[in-house]
Amino acid sequence: MADTDRAFDFLHVNEREDKPRENGITEIRGPYYDPMGPRELRDILETMGAYVDIYKFSGGSFALMPEDAVRELIEVCHDHDVLVSTGGFIENVLVRDHDRVERYIEEAADLGFDIVEISSGFLAIDVDDTVALTELVQDHGLQAKPEINVQFGAGGASSVEELESESAIDPTSAIEEGKRHLEAGAYKVMVESEGITERVRDWRTDVAFEIATELGIEHCVFEAADPAVFEWYIKQFGPRVNLFVDNSQIVELECMRSGLWGKKSTWGRIASYDGDGG
């Protein structure tokens, strides 16, 4: 957002790239925990749209909604230069409608989606197959955003105890899968939070560092399920780290990215440098 568009434009905020940007991406959750119609979405984007890059339908919520409503939500996003993602519903299609995977992608393209997320948190599936899905999505003119996991069963609302009953995935395996997708042309890699900072007794921050180092921080979008998590990512990787948060958290996240506000350990400590003294 240009300073001339911002209220109190004489107050300092950290430098922010214009959209479409490669770093500092914020993806927000759409309908899932609660419904969201176009009026609510317009309110969010008319006030904070400059800081939102991707809008994600979750849990296959689009399949419960009237087609006109889905199209209108997508149009509102596009009016504010926000990309729209299907969320990771494709794994459900793979299991229950296996012969309609390509039709699912075609429908996403027809409705105006920009990104198809390729998740497999609940599936035992070959990497070759998920990479083939990345290629198929791109063949239909959409951007593929594959998800990598370090915990089988990631992507739902499973309890700590339920996830502990499943074996964790070697981060090296997840990293190699991410590399394969990026080599195939994937837009970004979604890093699922379960097994790292969510549904664990102790955060596995070493895994987050390993993934960021091996794949490149600019290629990753980290799920940050609550403010303590996105604060940690910003403290470790800076305000231009790519994050996925709930739509209710966009203001708090952007206040932190911008350096306007923070918590005890980040207040007044988050900065950027644009090369021109800013």
Side-chain angles (χ1 to χ4, degrees), residues 194-216:
E194 275 110 335
I196 301 177
T197 57
E198 185 180 1
R199 303 290 193 269
V200 291
R201 300 188 190 279
D202 297 300
W203 290 1
R204 299 174 66 195
T205 54
D206 58 317
V207 173
F209 279 116
E210 188 174 354
I211 290 172
T213 299
E214 293 296 326
L215 294 184

Side-chain angles (χ1 to χ4, degrees), residues 240-259:
R240 294 190 180 103
V241 62
N242 303 319
L243 296 169
F244 167 53
V245 300
D246 189 67
N247 63 75
S248 63
Q249 298 165 337
I250 175 60
V251 177
E252 183 173 2
L253 171 59
E254 195 57 39
C255 283
M256 195 173 293
R257 283 195 196 273
S258 69

Side-chain angles (χ1 to χ4, degrees), residues 127-250:
V127 174
D128 286 347
D129 289 351
T130 59
V131 172
L133 288 171
T134 285
E135 295 170 341
L136 180 63
V137 166
Q138 293 170 148
D139 287 345
H140 284 80
L142 299 170
Q143 297 186 85
K145 187 156 75 66
E147 175 189 274
I148 58 173
N149 308 287
V150 296
Q151 175 65 62
F152 190 82
S158 304
S159 67
V160 173
E161 291 75 19
E162 287 173 317
L163 291 182
E164 283 181 338
S165 70
E166 299 282 358
S167 59
I169 299 169
D170 183 350
T172 303
S173 174
I175 289 166
E176 290 306 312
E177 181 178 358
K179 288 179 178 178
R180 289 279 309 278
H181 284 291
L182 291 171
E183 289 168 359
Y187 161 62
K188 299 285 183 187
V189 173
M190 184 76 193
V191 183
E192 180 66 48
S193 61
E194 275 110 335
I196 301 177
T197 57
E198 185 180 1
R199 303 290 193 269
V200 291
R201 300 188 190 279
D202 297 300
W203 290 1
R204 299 174 66 195
T205 54
D206 58 317
V207 173
F209 279 116
E210 188 174 354
I211 290 172
T213 299
E214 293 296 326
L215 294 184
I217 191 73
E218 71 278 11
H219 297 306
C220 300
V221 178
F222 294 95
E223 182 178 9
D226 60 63
V229 175
F230 62 68
E231 181 187 36
W232 181 85
Y233 276 108
I234 290 172
K235 284 167 65 177
Q236 305 308 316
F237 300 113
R240 294 190 180 103
V241 62
N242 303 319
L243 296 169
F244 167 53
V245 300
D246 189 67
N247 63 75
S248 63
Q249 298 165 337
I250 175 60

